[in-house]
Amino acid sequence: MARNKFDEDEDFNEKINSHELKRILKYVLPYKKEMVITIILMLLSSAATLLGPYLIEIAIDDMIPKKNINGLIMISVVFVITIIVTGLCMKFKIRTMADIGQKVIKNIRSDIFNKLQELPFSYYDNRPHGKILVRVVNYVNSLSDLLSNGLINLITDMFSVIVIIVFMFAINIKLTLLCFAGFPVLIGVTFLIKNAQRKAFRAYSNKQSNLNSYIHESITGIKVTQAFVREEENLGILRRVSDEYRNSWLKAVAVQLLLGPCIENISTLTIALIYLVGIYSIGAAGITIGVLVAFVGYISRFWGPISNIGNFYNSLIMTMAYVERIFETIDEEVTVKDLPNAYEMPLIKGEVEFKNVSFKYDESATILKSISFKVNSGETIAIVGPTGAGKTTIINLLSRFYDVSSGKLLIDGIDIQAVTIESLRKQMGVMLQDTFIFSGTIMDNIRYGKLDATDEEVIEAAETVRAHEFIKNMKKGYYTEVNERGSRLSVGQRQLISFARALLADPRILILDEATSSIDTKTEMALQEGLDKLLKGRTSFVIAHRLSTIKNADRIMFVDNGTIIEQGSHKELMEKRGAYYELYTSQYKILKAV
């Protein structure tokens, strides 16, 4: 079976990138005050916890032999206070760091979402939307635990290790040196495991992205799947992609869990060694029962932070595989953007000129080849031609969804690359072939093109495009809730709503790409009456395969193979008996036969 986009694995760097770590920390810096307070409290908590073994040593070696009841009570009170202090500090830490972590996640997700809104169409043309979605949701969520707990725990655990070592040296140097006997083994095991961890989590990240991509694609295309009875085949593909995801997860977890047991085993062996040496050394070199009990208490606390640091390293290995993809998206170059000296587009009058405009999506093929034409203000231009000729590309360039590869595109004599994209698009109304309906009410969907429009203006736009009749007959009228992509509406109804949305914006230049392709003939005729009024005095570009809808256009351009091969009015082109004549008469014969 041929490989699909969801089968393709993404490349990851082999090593943890320190630059990316610094970038994550920059998101944390705005909350440094809260973090400093949390660190101080956690250090206090850590210090309070570490008093426990020392208090036990005093109780065993001093208070109990001397039967000092008051001293034991005092030690007990101090011990209880350390527990209370530790609990309160932990509560504050968990609440504060959870809040900081979620704020950082929100900021990162906002940055990546903002970049996705800036990126041109070409970015989405080359990537499955599921792989984009997994970066915004899954990958960003993976940072949550690392930012909420990991950083603070790392600092406090390192502090605890240092303080514990100081306490252990103060109690007994010989036993402390024995404690370090397991360190060389731990370092060796860590180096052996880390490369395997990195590779395993890179593979897991890839398979997770592939699975998400395929599920997203399948849900989006569910109607086509059912129409062609592809359920069994798609289920087979899902099982394969799911198995790859499951196997990669099992391998990643297996490698991740290696470090914990290694630390536990080294800790157990070290404690056993301490007991063995300590028992045989009681009474010598200052080793007492209290010293031995206290020391074992510290050694247990010593390996706890070491284990936590190891777990943090595991989380870091896993998370960095995601961070690469997150920052890769944030750093994605915006190829269609405002120039440094871009200025606001003045009020558009509507004169449009293409000067030797060429365009290609990549180096493999040129879509438009040195196109030149001029449109006067208020003219209606129809663009016709075979599929793939470059019709939609022309209007995409006009809206700066893509930038021209060469030549110039002028509006009112101004190069559109010299003005800001926002000021340009705000004066244009665009209805693309792919009519998109957002989740929400019909009122909200029409108002999407002009957020400050009144209800009356929305209704007027709907009436103009003949959408008012079917909308008012719905259960809640204009306030009827529609699902994402308008699945409850017919294709024709979705087109009419999209039409109303474009018209409500009151654009200076109106672009209609197959605007009436899914509307029945009766509605189309009624719609045409409203459109004739609306298009009057407004520069308009209309792409249509139904040639009967564009007969009244001021000029018709026939585009084929990236060039304009003929242009003129309907009457002129019919008299010329060229490409347009052949297309029109062949379509007429088909309609007559039907």
Side-chain angles (χ1 to χ4, degrees):
M1 180 181 291
R3 288 175 65 82
N4 295 295
K5 282 289 184 181
F6 54 82
D7 288 312
E8 297 174 1
D9 292 340
E10 300 175 291
D11 294 327
F12 290 86
N13 294 325
E14 288 295 326
K15 298 180 180 178
I16 292 178
N17 192 322
S18 59
H19 175 66
E20 290 171 351
L21 287 175
K22 291 177 182 177
R23 291 185 67 177
I24 294 175
L25 291 177
K26 285 183 180 179
Y27 281 95
V28 180
L29 284 179
Y31 312 101
K32 58 186 177 182
K33 180 180 177 181
E34 293 92 332
M35 289 195 68
V36 169
I37 294 173
T38 303
I39 290 172
I40 292 172
L41 289 175
M42 288 309 299
L43 295 180
L44 175 63
S45 170
S46 181
T49 302
L50 295 177
L51 279 174
Y54 178 69
L55 294 174
I56 292 173
E57 178 195 347
I58 294 175
I60 293 175
D61 288 346
D62 190 19
M63 300 301 171
I64 293 177
K66 294 178 181 180
K67 298 182 180 180
N68 187 341
I69 304 300
N70 291 333
L72 282 172
I73 293 173
M74 183 63 68
I75 288 175
S76 299
V77 170
V78 173
F79 196 86
V80 170
I81 291 174
T82 62
I83 294 174
I84 294 173
V85 169
T86 300
L88 292 174
C89 290
M90 285 297 295
K91 179 182 179 181
F92 180 85
K93 192 258 318 190
I94 292 172
R95 184 175 58 192
T96 304
M97 290 312 299
D99 181 60
I100 292 174
Q102 290 307 308
K103 286 179 179 177
V104 171
I105 292 300
K106 175 186 174 184
N107 293 337
I108 293 175
R109 184 173 284 121
S110 296
D111 283 352
I112 191 173
F113 184 76
N114 186 55
K115 174 53 70 76
L116 289 173
Q117 293 193 105
E118 294 177 349
L119 290 171
F121 284 8
S122 56
Y123 177 83
Y124 299 94
D125 293 340
N126 301 322
R127 290 167 178 80
H129 293 177
K131 290 200 173 191
I132 299 173
L133 182 64
V134 77
R135 297 185 182 194
V136 182
V137 181
N138 300 59
Y139 289 1
V140 174
N141 285 343
S142 70
L143 288 171
S144 180
D145 187 59
L146 184 72
L147 296 173
S148 297
N149 297 301
L151 293 175
I152 294 296
N153 287 344
L154 178 66
I155 295 171
T156 54
D157 285 335
M158 291 177 68
F159 170 80
S160 296
V161 169
I162 294 171
V163 173
I164 288 170
I165 291 174
V166 171
F167 269 96
M168 289 195 300
F169 269 115
I171 294 174
N172 191 278
I173 296 175
K174 179 181 177 181
L175 294 179
T176 303
L177 294 176
L178 283 174
C179 172
F180 294 151
F183 249 74
V185 179
L186 176 61
I187 293 172
V189 169
T190 302
F191 273 102
L192 288 173
I193 292 176
K194 70 171 188 176
N195 290 332
Q197 285 179 317
R198 179 75 173 154
K199 291 178 181 178
F201 277 105
R202 286 205 317 270
Y204 167 65
S205 176
N206 276 323
K207 301 309 178 186
Q208 182 186 41
S209 176
N210 293 342
L211 178 62
N212 193 84
S213 175
Y214 184 68
I215 292 174
H216 180 272
E217 177 186 280
S218 298
I219 293 173
T220 305
I222 189 63
K223 292 181 180 179
V224 178
T225 296
Q226 294 180 356
F228 286 91
V229 197
R230 278 271 305 186
E231 291 89 346
E232 286 299 320
E233 289 83 353
N234 286 3
L235 182 58
I237 295 173
L238 177 65
R239 284 171 178 163
R240 173 170 59 80
V241 177
S242 296
D243 285 343
E244 291 176 356
Y245 168 77
R246 174 180 174 275
N247 293 336
S248 66
W249 181 82
L250 289 174
K251 289 177 182 178
V253 170
V255 176
Q256 181 187 27
L257 295 178
L258 281 176
L259 189 60
C262 288
I263 293 174
E264 288 295 326
N265 290 330
I266 293 171
S267 170
T268 302
L269 291 173
T270 304
I271 292 174
L273 181 62
I274 296 295
Y275 269 124
L276 182 63
V277 175
I279 290 172
Y280 280 101
S281 302
I282 288 178
I287 298 177
T288 63
I289 294 176
V291 167
L292 184 59
V293 172
F295 204 88
V296 170
Y298 279 121
I299 196 68
S300 298
R301 285 168 170 78
F302 172 78
W303 286 105
I306 293 294
S307 180
N308 292 339
I309 293 172
N311 290 332
F312 174 81
Y313 182 76
N314 278 337
S315 298
L316 187 63
I317 290 288
M318 177 182 68
T319 303
M320 289 310 295
Y322 302 139
V323 169
E324 290 174 18
R325 298 281 72 83
I326 292 171
F327 286 132
E328 178 190 85
T329 304
I330 292 176
D331 295 338
E332 188 74 34
E333 182 182 2
V334 180
T335 54
V336 180
K337 59 184 176 181
D338 293 337
L339 296 176
N341 57 346
Y343 56 92
E344 294 287 309
M345 182 73 182
L347 183 65
I348 292 175
K349 295 177 182 177
E351 185 181 281
V352 176
E353 184 175 7
F354 279 62
K355 283 189 173 182
N356 297 315
V357 170
S358 295
F359 176 77
K360 51 187 176 182
Y361 292 105
D362 51 48
E363 299 301 322
S364 61
T366 300
I367 307 302
L368 297 180
K369 305 169 185 176
S370 298
I371 282 185
S372 295
F373 65 88
K374 187 173 182 180
V375 179
N376 296 321
S377 176
E379 278 192 315
T380 297
I381 305 299
I383 305 174
V384 300
T387 302
K391 304 185 297 296
T392 299
T393 302
I394 291 175
I395 63 172
N396 281 340
L397 293 176
L398 187 60
S399 304
R400 276 201 77 188
F401 294 139
Y402 302 89
D403 276 335
V404 300
S405 300
S406 63
K408 285 190 176 182
L409 204 169
L410 310 174
I411 294 181
D412 297 339
I414 300 172
D415 188 338
I416 63 172
Q417 293 192 37
V419 300
T420 63
I421 295 174
E422 182 179 0
S423 66
L424 172 68
R425 291 179 183 168
K426 274 189 173 181
Q427 300 189 63
M428 304 182 76
V430 182
M431 182 176 169
L432 300 174
Q433 268 181 302
D434 183 17
T435 56
F436 195 95
I437 302 298
F438 296 89
S439 298
T441 65
I442 293 177
M443 179 72 75
D444 291 336
N445 268 280
I446 298 176
R447 191 179 275 134
Y448 196 87
K450 186 181 178 183
L451 297 179
D452 59 349
T454 64
D455 289 1
E456 290 73 21
E457 289 174 321
V458 171
I459 295 171
E460 184 181 352
E463 287 176 338
T464 301
V465 301
R466 300 300 187 267
H468 179 70
E469 286 300 318
F470 85 82
I471 294 174
K472 74 176 185 179
N473 289 330
M474 300 185 79
K475 187 175 181 180
K476 295 183 179 179
Y478 284 85
Y479 292 94
T480 300
E481 292 281 342
V482 290
N483 295 332
E484 178 188 352
R485 303 192 70 88
S487 58
R488 295 180 181 177
L489 303 170
S490 70
V491 177
Q493 289 173 334
R494 293 201 295 270
Q495 280 200 316
L496 290 176
I497 289 174
S498 297
F499 219 149
R501 178 196 297 161
L503 302 186
L504 181 64
D506 190 24
R508 308 305 302 170
I509 296 177
L510 184 63
I511 296 172
L512 307 176
D513 187 355
E514 292 296 331
T516 60
S517 61
S518 300
I519 299 173
D520 61 83
T521 305
K522 182 180 178 181
T523 304
E524 182 184 330
M525 292 175 63
L527 172 62
Q528 195 64 46
E529 296 175 12
L531 285 180
D532 289 341
K533 296 177 183 177
L534 186 73
L535 297 178
K536 188 175 181 180
R538 194 189 307 270
T539 305
S540 305
F541 290 82
V542 181
I543 295 177
H545 283 112
R546 269 195 228 167
L547 302 186
S548 59
T549 64
I550 58 168
K551 290 171 61 176
N552 296 329
D554 296 305
R555 196 189 329 165
I556 299 171
M557 297 192 306
F558 193 102
V559 179
D560 191 15
N561 197 28
T563 60
I564 300 173
I565 62 174
E566 61 181 16
Q567 57 181 309
S569 67
H570 172 74
K571 182 179 179 181
E572 291 170 344
L573 293 178
M574 291 298 289
E575 290 175 352
K576 190 175 182 181
R577 291 179 172 266
Y580 177 79
Y581 173 83
E582 292 181 4
L583 183 64
Y584 185 85
T585 53
S586 64
Q587 195 173 101
Y588 177 76
K589 288 177 182 177
I590 293 173
L591 290 173
K592 189 175 181 180
V594 173

